[in-house]
Amino acid sequence: QLVESGGGLVQPGGSLRLSCEGPELILGYYHIGWFRQVAGEGREGISCVSAVDGNTYYKDSVKGRFTFSRDRAKNQVYLQMNNLQPEDTATYFCAAARHIVTARMLCDGGGRDMDYWGQGTQVTVSS
């Protein structure tokens, strides 16, 4: 029910904006997370947002470079990614959870608490 877009190939230092579109109920009222996964590795939560208080958590490796935002009128959420580096290369997923403890725990759980997932969009950072 979630659909990501916006991935692609970008040079180091470049930017991309990922979009996630879905039903109003899910993107408007559930807790949202952006995760990424490198082939052969587990999913990594990089940005998670609580629908209760709007608290936004960023993993240290992306803090200051990535920004979560939401457009409720369009039923979309976004992940603006700046100063991309080769280590950011991964498949990126948006996900939604009905229940939450904290935004950080949602991310640190690696996705186990998420109820809805998109299909993923590939981001490749290479010169």
Side-chain angles (χ1 to χ4, degrees):
Q1 300 191 43
L2 303 178
V3 180
E4 303 96 336
S5 61
L9 173 64
V10 63
Q11 292 186 343
S15 298
L16 286 173
R17 189 178 79 156
L18 305 183
S19 300
C20 176
E21 185 172 8
E24 178 182 5
L25 174 64
I26 294 176
L27 293 184
Y29 297 98
Y30 289 5
H31 316 287
I32 304 298
W34 282 98
F35 296 79
R36 65 186 182 188
Q37 186 172 25
V38 176
E41 299 182 10
R43 282 180 180 170
E44 175 186 42
I46 55 175
S47 180
C48 292
V49 180
S50 167
V52 176
D53 56 14
N55 184 42
T56 305
Y57 167 79
Y58 295 99
K59 192 173 179 67
D60 284 347
S61 58
V62 306
K63 194 176 297 182
R65 300 189 298 125
F66 291 11
T67 304
F68 175 95
S69 62
R70 183 198 307 263
D71 186 333
R72 293 184 183 277
K74 295 183 178 179
N75 296 330
Q76 293 189 358
V77 298
Y78 308 100
L79 187 68
Q80 177 67 42
M81 306 187 297
N82 297 329
N83 191 23
L84 284 160
Q85 300 301 315
E87 53 266 33
D88 296 315
T89 296
T91 302
Y92 284 71
F93 300 86
C94 69
R98 292 190 295 268
H99 305 293
I100 189 174
V101 182
T102 67
R104 175 170 184 166
M105 292 180 69
L106 204 59
C107 266
D108 286 350
R112 65 171 180 259
D113 299 313
M114 312 308 287
D115 300 297
Y116 301 93
W117 289 90
Q119 83 289 348
T121 185
Q122 178 66 35
V123 172
T124 302
V125 186
S126 175
S127 56

